[in-house]
Amino acid sequence: RIGSATSLSSAVINTRLQELVRLFKERTEKVKEKLTDPDVTSDDESPVASPAAAPVPAPGRELEGDKVSGDDHYCEMLCCTFKSRPRLDHLKSYQFPSSIDPLTNLMYVLWLFFVVMAWNWNCWLIPVRWAFPYQTPANIHYWLLVDYLCDLIYLLDIVVFQTRLQFVQGGDIITDKKAMKRNYLRSQRFKMDVLCLLPLDFFYFKVGVNPLLRLPRCLKYMAFFEFNNRLEAILTKAYIYRVIRTTAYLLYSLHVNSCLYYWASAYEGLGSTTWVYDGEGNSYIRCYYWAVKTLITIGGLPDPKTLFEIVFQLLNYFTGVFAFSVMIGQMRDVVGAATAGQTYYRSCMDSTIKYMNFYKIPKTVQNRVKTWYEYTWHSQGMLDESELLVQLPDKMRLDIAIDVNYNIVSKVALFQGCDRQMIFDMLKRLRSVVYLPNDFVCKKGEIGREMYIIQAGQVQVLGGPDGKSVLVTLKAGSVFGEISLLAAGGGNRRTANVVAHGFANLFILEKKDLNEILVHYPESQKLLRKKAKKMLKSNNKPKEEKGGPGDPLIIPPKADTPKLFRAALAATGRMGGKGPLGRLR
């Protein structure tokens, strides 16, 4: 029993000491890495500061901070109670920004939406109230209420928002209040904003409430176009909004034409001839139907009788042909821009198929080429990512590369401890390649001149006597071929076949690109060569050292006693200690 207890305790102590040795080694490696590259951060998580580290009160007592005053507000969530400020206090403490970035501020885009809604109210309802008898003395106060609410929005836009917009002058972003206000007062937009708020409503006392006196309110069109630009920059599928906007242009032209037709009918007399509106049914719907048939030149309309009717109809036909052709052309441009990528993909694929048919390429190869085109397009939305980024400045390309690839490349053991800027330069040289199922990524015996990083999918390393046995399956985030980047003599030969298992998206870093980068980072170059030598030595150890299968060991060698364990035993002997360590000694 004593022997079994001693062996059990010694096994536990041995396991614990081995665990301590492993932890010491890991910490030593981290310290070395920190000394090599000061930018490398620790893997340990930073302690999170608690929101309120309250002391424990004595029994029967209450801390002063625990006393709830009548003005405090609390909200319960799960099992905890949190102090929250009432909404009224939030509103009181809110401060309106002194300057607004018109390009990125979403609050400004939301405000432009309300301004555009007020502008649309004037543009759509002023012609209706002028032509149709919808504005009556019984409901005039409702119309005036909405009118002056729109005027208030116009006034707030001038006083509050436009005077706080940032602008660029000489390459600098100006945020000074006086400078922003002065810039707006000197702009063309300020003149149009003042013109659209001309107080022509005072003529109501003389000529009555005539909606045409509010026609200058439609001059705030600059806010409409600015809203379009800001909204298209936010939307992921801006072409949908462009189609809706172009359709609204067509509907508005028909709307104005219907109002003009009713005015012409009222001028000639409702039902006076077969051409004018006869006054039956819903006046707006019937006039809008007539406007659609006229502007789109469908035909089937009654012939005009009087000279006024003939001139009005001719002008309608000419305007209809011009407006409709402009709308069709604009719609074609919008749809063409939305499907430009798809059109480019189809043209490339058709040209490739035509080329393969001309040279009578086997059908199996043609099918693989078609599969590559379809998968690449559906997975990436483009055929070549470099074509999309080539127009961006170098700094923006680096930012995108860091967000996409840095997490993968930073895990490569070969590059750990290198200069971070060198890794950033390397990210811009990565090239994305798609491999089809059973495609050979690299073959055994060929010279390795590139490194591979798996972005998506899996690859299999094949070996064995027949070269078809799966040795290991590498998944997304794995790296292979990194030693060949720094091997001397033109590169080392591949030791196994690597085949794509399904569709695989890989990043490739070529050796020449890395050499061009390392010229500017000599310290990182030395570190990489040391790591490459160590990795090559570990891979090229003779089989005799590792114990080949031809000469198996009958009695395995006894493992060495860990140094820390020997030190602990020696210390126990010197102190004359007893117990498990003493008995074990």
Side-chain angles (χ1 to χ4, degrees), residues 456-484:
Q458 299 178 358
V459 298
Q460 293 178 339
V461 181
L462 305 182
D466 56 352
K468 297 182 180 179
S469 302
V470 179
L471 302 180
V472 66
T473 300
L474 303 178
K475 300 181 180 180
S478 302
V479 180
F480 60 95
E482 65 270 23
I483 302 179
S484 63

Side-chain angles (χ1 to χ4, degrees), residues 137-376:
N139 60 14
I140 188 64
H141 53 281
Y142 295 112
W143 293 104
L144 293 179
L145 176 64
V146 181
D147 285 345
Y148 294 131
L149 180 61
C150 294
D151 292 348
L152 178 62
I153 293 176
Y154 279 18
L155 186 62
L156 289 176
D157 182 61
I158 296 175
V159 176
V160 179
F161 284 88
Q162 296 302 320
T163 56
R164 286 178 166 85
L165 293 184
Q166 303 173 6
F167 66 98
V168 179
Q169 185 178 26
D172 296 330
I173 300 177
I174 307 301
T175 59
D176 182 67
K177 292 183 179 180
K178 294 182 179 179
M180 291 186 295
K181 186 176 181 180
R182 185 166 55 251
N183 178 69
Y184 173 62
L185 295 179
R186 293 177 180 177
S187 64
Q188 181 68 22
R189 182 164 183 172
F190 172 71
K191 300 175 183 177
M192 300 299 297
D193 289 346
V194 172
L195 190 61
C196 73
L197 281 179
L198 285 178
L200 301 180
D201 303 48
F202 289 108
F203 288 100
Y204 286 172
F205 298 104
K206 187 174 183 180
V207 299
V209 182
N210 189 349
L212 288 181
L213 294 175
R214 294 186 55 82
L215 200 59
R217 302 295 189 273
C218 300
L219 295 177
K220 203 173 178 62
Y221 60 89
M222 289 186 177
F224 172 71
F225 291 112
E226 184 184 7
F227 175 73
N228 291 335
N229 296 333
R230 301 291 175 262
L231 189 62
E232 290 179 6
I234 296 173
L235 297 177
T236 56
K237 295 183 179 180
Y239 64 88
I240 297 178
Y241 175 72
R242 296 190 189 108
V243 172
I244 297 175
R245 185 182 62 203
T246 305
T247 306
Y249 290 160
L250 178 61
L251 296 178
Y252 182 73
S253 61
L254 296 173
H255 168 78
V256 173
N257 194 33
S258 63
C259 295
L260 292 176
Y261 175 65
Y262 186 88
W263 169 80
S265 300
Y267 178 79
E268 288 282 301
L270 298 180
S272 59
T273 63
T274 57
W275 181 83
V276 299
Y277 168 60
D278 55 6
E280 297 180 358
N282 188 293
S283 57
Y284 181 78
I285 297 298
R286 289 181 175 270
C287 292
Y288 201 92
Y289 174 74
W290 181 91
V292 171
K293 295 182 68 175
T294 303
L295 283 183
I296 305 180
T297 63
I298 296 176
L301 296 171
D303 296 331
K305 303 299 183 182
T306 64
L307 179 62
F308 175 80
E309 295 174 356
I310 294 174
V311 173
F312 187 89
Q313 188 71 356
L314 287 175
L315 292 176
N316 248 324
Y317 279 138
F318 289 139
T319 307
V321 171
F322 175 75
F324 194 68
S325 60
V326 170
M327 297 300 172
I328 294 297
Q330 189 171 3
M331 188 69 72
R332 181 202 62 189
D333 295 340
V334 170
V335 176
T339 59
Q342 185 77 16
T343 304
Y344 174 73
Y345 156 71
R346 294 303 313 175
S347 63
C348 291
M349 189 171 182
D350 293 342
S351 300
T352 306
I353 293 175
K354 184 178 179 181
Y355 173 84
M356 292 189 296
N357 290 332
F358 179 79
Y359 285 98
K360 299 180 181 180
I361 304 297
K363 288 295 182 181
T364 55
V365 179
Q366 292 192 23
N367 292 335
R368 292 182 65 81
V369 172
K370 294 177 183 178
T371 304
W372 180 87
Y373 267 106
E374 292 179 1
Y375 176 79
T376 304

